[in-house]
Amino acid sequence: MSAREPSSLLSFVHPAVQRTAVVLLHGLCSTPDELLTVQSALRDGGYAVHPMSIPGYSFDANAPMQQAAPFQQWLDSIEAQVTTLRETHERVLLVGISAGSSLALGAAIRCGDAVDALVLMSTTLRFDGWAIPRTQMLLPLAYYTPLGRFWQYRERPPYGVKNERVRAWIERELRHRKISRAGSSVIGVSHLREHHRLIRHVRANLHRVQCDRVLALHAQQDEVASVANLEILARGLRCRSFRSVVVSNSYHMITIDNDRQQVVRETVAFADEVAHGTGADAPISSLKAS
């Protein structure tokens, strides 16, 4: 057997890494493809990686119409996954992007110390990015009144992406499909309403997050959620170590945009710290710009 074959390479993975499981949580009404770059790097590093597809949250290619389940059921699915992983792993790390970050926080609130650490990408606890229209404040009328039956959110440029080549590729994808690496072309009011409820739940309970370590990655130019969302996390979380990294050359979808390699490096380095029990000395308000 060649020393380069996977079964042989596994023997070189540190036992602490093998005992660490990573759960990936993509954005609202989307697919695990949003986190493929992170997934590949973590798996190459020897981590047990579990990209989740959640009924009533994820995009369902077989459904003629996307219908959301109550957000509590989204958290039920993650809690069940965390419970299963704790039977075979010593540590569980949740990685979420956009609405997936809210899910990760909600799951951490629900699961207590069963979740060891969080990576929160493009956290959206407040929609205040530069591309959000002033009419955003009227959306609860669509969420919670009959008006919502006649409304849906349609994805439009820049699709969360600053890189023009990637943006053009997403546009081509959406001409022929209902989904792309940046998410669904259309998000219905039921998903938006449940996400809104999830955000309210998370913001009211941030202090209940028990995990020791949180890494937050955010784009300075995020068009959906400004870096003020990092301040919400820093004020609300009570974890021992909170570190934030602001990347300079991307929009909302930082895992597929210009800074994707830095995002991958930061995530893998953080996972290594969690696995080996190192690097937990950063203060709660730590902010790193790059």
Side-chain angles (χ1 to χ4, degrees):
M1 178 182 294
S2 167
R4 295 181 177 273
E5 292 180 6
S7 57
S8 178
L9 288 173
L10 189 61
S11 64
F12 294 99
V13 176
H14 195 283
V17 170
Q18 295 183 35
R19 294 193 294 266
T20 303
V22 183
V23 177
L24 303 183
L25 302 169
H26 59 74
L28 186 67
C29 198
S30 189
T31 71
D33 285 358
E34 289 183 347
L35 290 161
L36 274 179
T37 52
V38 174
Q39 176 182 323
S40 298
L42 288 168
R43 280 192 172 151
D44 288 348
Y47 290 94
V49 185
H50 299 267
M52 287 197 68
S53 185
I54 301 172
Y57 172 81
S58 302
F59 181 85
D60 183 356
N62 297 316
M65 194 171 180
Q66 306 297 315
Q67 187 64 36
F71 81 84
Q72 294 90 342
Q73 292 184 23
W74 304 348
L75 299 181
D76 290 343
S77 296
I78 304 169
E79 182 180 22
Q81 178 72 286
V82 169
T83 300
T84 298
L85 291 172
R86 294 297 300 199
E87 295 175 358
T88 53
H89 294 80
E90 292 182 4
R91 291 163 294 275
V92 175
L93 166 63
L94 304 184
V95 178
I97 185 168
S98 192
S101 290
S102 300
L103 273 183
L105 287 163
I109 293 164
R110 171 83 69 87
C111 298
D113 59 7
V115 172
D116 296 275
L118 303 173
V119 177
L120 308 174
M121 302 177 180
S122 306
T123 304
T124 309
L125 296 178
R126 188 168 72 191
F127 289 88
D128 59 353
W130 56 264
I132 298 297
R134 293 181 180 179
T135 53
Q136 175 76 18
M137 67 181 68
L138 301 176
L139 284 182
L141 290 174
Y143 297 163
Y144 301 109
T145 73
L147 291 173
R149 292 178 299 173
F150 308 102
W151 183 83
Q152 59 187 4
Y153 172 78
R154 184 170 296 277
E155 189 63 77
R156 58 187 184 275
Y159 307 108
V161 177
K162 185 177 183 180
N163 184 293
E164 293 184 2
R165 181 179 59 82
V166 176
R167 191 188 307 166
W169 173 66
I170 291 169
E171 282 188 318
R172 289 194 298 271
E173 285 280 286
L174 293 180
R175 287 194 201 108
H176 306 288
R177 305 171 61 216
K178 296 180 180 180
I179 192 75
S180 77
R181 283 280 296 277
S184 176
S185 60
V186 172
I187 303 177
V189 72
S190 65
H191 279 85
L192 295 168
R193 180 176 58 246
E194 291 306 316
H195 182 221
H196 185 250
R197 288 172 171 164
L198 171 64
I199 289 173
R200 290 193 301 178
H201 168 72
V202 167
R203 290 192 62 164
N205 292 280
L206 274 177
H207 63 282
R208 294 174 52 199
V209 174
Q210 295 184 32
C211 62
D212 282 341
R213 305 162 183 252
V214 175
L215 170 65
L217 301 163
H218 212 95
Q220 182 69 51
Q221 302 175 64
D222 191 319
E223 85 283 12
V224 175
S226 79
V227 292
N229 281 269
L230 296 178
E231 297 172 10
I232 296 173
L233 293 173
R235 288 196 307 267
L237 291 171
R238 298 292 180 265
C239 52
R240 181 160 56 97
S241 172
F242 173 79
R243 185 165 65 91
S244 56
V245 176
V246 179
V247 297
S248 61
N249 196 29
S250 296
Y251 291 164
H252 190 63
M253 296 305 299
I254 57 177
T255 53
I256 62 174
D257 209 347
N258 292 319
D259 297 301
R260 58 190 178 275
Q261 294 304 323
Q262 180 185 354
V263 169
V264 168
R265 289 194 302 271
E266 295 279 0
T267 302
V268 173
F270 181 75
D272 289 344
E273 292 174 1
V274 171
H276 296 285
T278 60
D281 298 326
I284 189 69
S285 59
S286 173
L287 178 67
K288 174 184 175 184
S290 58

